Amino acid sequence: VNSEFMRNNVVTWYRLNRDKVVVIPNGVNLKMFTESNDRIVLDGDPSILYVGHLSRLKGVDILIRAISKLSSDLPNVKLHLVGNGNAPTFAALSKKEGIEKCVIFHDWAKPSKIPSYYKSADICVFPSRHEGFGIVILEAMASGIPVIASDIPSFREIVSDGIDGRLFKSQNVDSLSKEVIALYRDPCLREEFGRNALEKVKKYSWEKIAEKYISLYEY
């Protein structure tokens, strides 16, 4: 399984011997993200980026409501949603919240284009209600971009709160909006998170993850 969270679930669901379930996290192509210098224009000050499926499970509604709440403090904010899914529902929610001009839908993007989005954003936010892991968090970290993520078990395994990113109270719009405002207003902290994230994400390189698989097979 790819996280301790999933190991706990599998052991419980299937009544397995815990020692028989091994955790090997997903990896990330470090070179693809760390060495990318491509940039695209992402409007907004700040520009907030979300990458992933557009669904309620992923917390897109929470993110939109948080942007609505903080828009009076950050009137030039723009939320960029990259991915496909139930876009009409979230477009309607943006309109209902009165921030349709602040939310930009980019649809699905080719994998080769994704690093450009990360490199061009000020902050990446991942507000999922539930996840087994969080590959997009690794991608943002490998891009050196500060991350704000929901405080769910699998994300806590990746993000060290206050060291290489921030965790907000899961499903709490107020908590998320406050974290975005605080991080935007502290550029030094954003840089520190980016540096620390780049260092941490090295252990998730596919080379190191492959070694774990080989070690397991040879055990």
Side-chain angles (χ1 to χ4, degrees), residues 13-14 26 35 37 48 53 63 112 142 181 190 198 208:
W13 293 339
Y14 300 106
N26 294 124
E35 297 184 9
N37 292 312
I48 308 299
H53 189 66
L63 179 51
S112 60
I181 292 171
R190 296 205 306 271
L198 281 170
K208 292 188 179 299

PDB file of all heavy atoms in Angstrom, residues 13-14 26 35 37 48 53 63 112 142 181 190 198 208:
ATOM      1  N   TRP A  13      -9.946  -3.790   7.380  1.00  0.00           N
ATOM      2  CA  TRP A  13     -10.955  -4.318   6.461  1.00  0.00           C
ATOM      3  C   TRP A  13     -10.824  -5.825   6.255  1.00  0.00           C
ATOM      4  O   TRP A  13     -11.816  -6.555   6.254  1.00  0.00           O
ATOM      5  CB  TRP A  13     -10.858  -3.624   5.106  1.00  0.00           C
ATOM      6  CG  TRP A  13     -11.216  -2.168   5.127  1.00  0.00           C
ATOM      7  CD1 TRP A  13     -11.969  -1.515   6.053  1.00  0.00           C
ATOM      8  CD2 TRP A  13     -10.811  -1.186   4.170  1.00  0.00           C
ATOM      9  NE1 TRP A  13     -12.064  -0.178   5.740  1.00  0.00           N
ATOM     10  CE2 TRP A  13     -11.362   0.044   4.584  1.00  0.00           C
ATOM     11  CE3 TRP A  13     -10.039  -1.219   3.016  1.00  0.00           C
ATOM     12  CZ2 TRP A  13     -11.170   1.236   3.876  1.00  0.00           C
ATOM     13  CZ3 TRP A  13      -9.849  -0.041   2.306  1.00  0.00           C
ATOM     14  CH2 TRP A  13     -10.411   1.163   2.739  1.00  0.00           C
ATOM     15  N   TYR A  14      -9.587  -6.275   6.046  1.00  0.00           N
ATOM     16  CA  TYR A  14      -9.366  -7.668   5.660  1.00  0.00           C
ATOM     17  C   TYR A  14      -8.809  -8.538   6.787  1.00  0.00           C
ATOM     18  O   TYR A  14      -8.477  -9.700   6.564  1.00  0.00           O
ATOM     19  CB  TYR A  14      -8.445  -7.730   4.439  1.00  0.00           C
ATOM     20  CG  TYR A  14      -9.023  -7.014   3.242  1.00  0.00           C
ATOM     21  CD1 TYR A  14      -8.520  -5.785   2.832  1.00  0.00           C
ATOM     22  CD2 TYR A  14     -10.093  -7.553   2.538  1.00  0.00           C
ATOM     23  CE1 TYR A  14      -9.060  -5.113   1.743  1.00  0.00           C
ATOM     24  CE2 TYR A  14     -10.632  -6.898   1.456  1.00  0.00           C
ATOM     25  CZ  TYR A  14     -10.114  -5.673   1.059  1.00  0.00           C
ATOM     26  OH  TYR A  14     -10.652  -5.010  -0.020  1.00  0.00           O
ATOM     27  N   ASN A  26       4.006   6.271  -3.262  1.00  0.00           N
ATOM     28  CA  ASN A  26       4.166   6.616  -4.675  1.00  0.00           C
ATOM     29  C   ASN A  26       5.384   7.510  -4.836  1.00  0.00           C
ATOM     30  O   ASN A  26       5.829   8.173  -3.884  1.00  0.00           O
ATOM     31  CB  ASN A  26       2.926   7.344  -5.192  1.00  0.00           C
ATOM     32  CG  ASN A  26       1.700   6.457  -5.216  1.00  0.00           C
ATOM     33  OD1 ASN A  26       0.682   6.776  -4.622  1.00  0.00           O
ATOM     34  ND2 ASN A  26       1.789   5.337  -5.902  1.00  0.00           N
ATOM     35  N   GLU A  35      13.597  20.486 -12.623  1.00  0.00           N
ATOM     36  CA  GLU A  35      14.412  21.114 -13.670  1.00  0.00           C
ATOM     37  C   GLU A  35      13.596  21.887 -14.692  1.00  0.00           C
ATOM     38  O   GLU A  35      14.153  22.485 -15.611  1.00  0.00           O
ATOM     39  CB  GLU A  35      15.250  20.050 -14.376  1.00  0.00           C
ATOM     40  CG  GLU A  35      16.254  19.365 -13.458  1.00  0.00           C
ATOM     41  CD  GLU A  35      17.138  18.373 -14.183  1.00  0.00           C
ATOM     42  OE1 GLU A  35      17.079  18.337 -15.433  1.00  0.00           O
ATOM     43  OE2 GLU A  35      17.876  17.632 -13.504  1.00  0.00           O
ATOM     44  N   ASN A  37      11.824  24.870 -16.316  1.00  0.00           N
ATOM     45  CA  ASN A  37      11.899  26.327 -16.236  1.00  0.00           C
ATOM     46  C   ASN A  37      10.788  26.996 -17.036  1.00  0.00           C
ATOM     47  O   ASN A  37      10.778  28.219 -17.199  1.00  0.00           O
ATOM     48  CB  ASN A  37      13.264  26.825 -16.737  1.00  0.00           C
ATOM     49  CG  ASN A  37      14.395  26.429 -15.803  1.00  0.00           C
ATOM     50  OD1 ASN A  37      14.302  26.616 -14.592  1.00  0.00           O
ATOM     51  ND2 ASN A  37      15.465  25.863 -16.355  1.00  0.00           N
ATOM     52  N   ILE A  48      -3.576  31.109  -7.000  1.00  0.00           N
ATOM     53  CA  ILE A  48      -3.739  29.873  -6.240  1.00  0.00           C
ATOM     54  C   ILE A  48      -4.015  28.744  -7.225  1.00  0.00           C
ATOM     55  O   ILE A  48      -4.903  28.854  -8.073  1.00  0.00           O
ATOM     56  CB  ILE A  48      -4.913  29.981  -5.239  1.00  0.00           C
ATOM     57  CG1 ILE A  48      -4.766  31.239  -4.374  1.00  0.00           C
ATOM     58  CG2 ILE A  48      -5.003  28.726  -4.384  1.00  0.00           C
ATOM     59  CD1 ILE A  48      -3.514  31.280  -3.535  1.00  0.00           C
ATOM     60  N   HIS A  53      -8.736  16.039 -10.075  1.00  0.00           N
ATOM     61  CA  HIS A  53     -10.104  15.848 -10.521  1.00  0.00           C
ATOM     62  C   HIS A  53     -11.008  16.860  -9.835  1.00  0.00           C
ATOM     63  O   HIS A  53     -10.844  17.165  -8.650  1.00  0.00           O
ATOM     64  CB  HIS A  53     -10.556  14.422 -10.177  1.00  0.00           C
ATOM     65  CG  HIS A  53     -11.872  14.053 -10.776  1.00  0.00           C
ATOM     66  ND1 HIS A  53     -12.065  13.940 -12.138  1.00  0.00           N
ATOM     67  CD2 HIS A  53     -13.068  13.781 -10.206  1.00  0.00           C
ATOM     68  CE1 HIS A  53     -13.318  13.602 -12.381  1.00  0.00           C
ATOM     69  NE2 HIS A  53     -13.954  13.502 -11.226  1.00  0.00           N
ATOM     70  N   LEU A  63     -12.540  24.761  -1.389  1.00  0.00           N
ATOM     71  CA  LEU A  63     -11.558  25.715  -1.899  1.00  0.00           C
ATOM     72  C   LEU A  63     -12.242  26.952  -2.475  1.00  0.00           C
ATOM     73  O   LEU A  63     -11.822  28.089  -2.216  1.00  0.00           O
ATOM     74  CB  LEU A  63     -10.679  25.039  -2.945  1.00  0.00           C
ATOM     75  CG  LEU A  63      -9.591  25.882  -3.610  1.00  0.00           C
ATOM     76  CD1 LEU A  63      -8.722  26.593  -2.583  1.00  0.00           C
ATOM     77  CD2 LEU A  63      -8.741  25.006  -4.524  1.00  0.00           C
ATOM     78  N   SER A 112       2.980  16.735 -19.731  1.00  0.00           N
ATOM     79  CA  SER A 112       4.174  17.534 -20.021  1.00  0.00           C
ATOM     80  C   SER A 112       3.978  19.020 -19.713  1.00  0.00           C
ATOM     81  O   SER A 112       4.944  19.765 -19.554  1.00  0.00           O
ATOM     82  CB  SER A 112       4.572  17.370 -21.492  1.00  0.00           C
ATOM     83  OG  SER A 112       3.522  17.808 -22.350  1.00  0.00           O
ATOM     84  N   ALA A 142       8.130  19.133  -5.509  1.00  0.00           N
ATOM     85  CA  ALA A 142       9.263  18.996  -6.422  1.00  0.00           C
ATOM     86  C   ALA A 142       9.443  20.236  -7.286  1.00  0.00           C
ATOM     87  O   ALA A 142      10.520  20.464  -7.837  1.00  0.00           O
ATOM     88  CB  ALA A 142       9.075  17.768  -7.308  1.00  0.00           C
ATOM     89  N   ILE A 181      -4.200  33.425   3.359  1.00  0.00           N
ATOM     90  CA  ILE A 181      -3.862  34.827   3.625  1.00  0.00           C
ATOM     91  C   ILE A 181      -2.521  34.930   4.332  1.00  0.00           C
ATOM     92  O   ILE A 181      -1.644  35.716   3.941  1.00  0.00           O
ATOM     93  CB  ILE A 181      -4.964  35.505   4.465  1.00  0.00           C
ATOM     94  CG1 ILE A 181      -6.256  35.636   3.655  1.00  0.00           C
ATOM     95  CG2 ILE A 181      -4.506  36.887   4.938  1.00  0.00           C
ATOM     96  CD1 ILE A 181      -7.456  36.085   4.478  1.00  0.00           C
ATOM     97  N   ARG A 190       7.111  31.393   2.467  1.00  0.00           N
ATOM     98  CA  ARG A 190       6.841  30.647   1.233  1.00  0.00           C
ATOM     99  C   ARG A 190       8.148  30.100   0.652  1.00  0.00           C
ATOM    100  O   ARG A 190       8.216  28.949   0.214  1.00  0.00           O
ATOM    101  CB  ARG A 190       6.137  31.528   0.198  1.00  0.00           C
ATOM    102  CG  ARG A 190       4.759  31.995   0.615  1.00  0.00           C
ATOM    103  CD  ARG A 190       3.868  32.320  -0.577  1.00  0.00           C
ATOM    104  NE  ARG A 190       4.439  33.268  -1.503  1.00  0.00           N
ATOM    105  CZ  ARG A 190       4.306  34.588  -1.418  1.00  0.00           C
ATOM    106  NH1 ARG A 190       3.623  35.128  -0.416  1.00  0.00           N
ATOM    107  NH2 ARG A 190       4.831  35.379  -2.331  1.00  0.00           N
ATOM    108  N   LEU A 198      11.662  20.847  -1.351  1.00  0.00           N
ATOM    109  CA  LEU A 198      12.586  20.303  -2.342  1.00  0.00           C
ATOM    110  C   LEU A 198      13.522  19.278  -1.717  1.00  0.00           C
ATOM    111  O   LEU A 198      13.885  18.279  -2.351  1.00  0.00           O
ATOM    112  CB  LEU A 198      13.394  21.437  -2.995  1.00  0.00           C
ATOM    113  CG  LEU A 198      12.679  22.234  -4.073  1.00  0.00           C
ATOM    114  CD1 LEU A 198      13.502  23.469  -4.447  1.00  0.00           C
ATOM    115  CD2 LEU A 198      12.445  21.374  -5.311  1.00  0.00           C
ATOM    116  N   LYS A 208      14.536   5.921  -5.655  1.00  0.00           N
ATOM    117  CA  LYS A 208      14.489   5.442  -4.271  1.00  0.00           C
ATOM    118  C   LYS A 208      13.272   4.532  -4.034  1.00  0.00           C
ATOM    119  O   LYS A 208      13.353   3.561  -3.281  1.00  0.00           O
ATOM    120  CB  LYS A 208      14.481   6.622  -3.310  1.00  0.00           C
ATOM    121  CG  LYS A 208      15.791   7.399  -3.288  1.00  0.00           C
ATOM    122  CD  LYS A 208      15.826   8.428  -2.194  1.00  0.00           C
ATOM    123  CE  LYS A 208      17.158   9.173  -2.183  1.00  0.00           C
ATOM    124  NZ  LYS A 208      18.318   8.275  -1.930  1.00  0.00           N
TER     125      LYS A 208
END
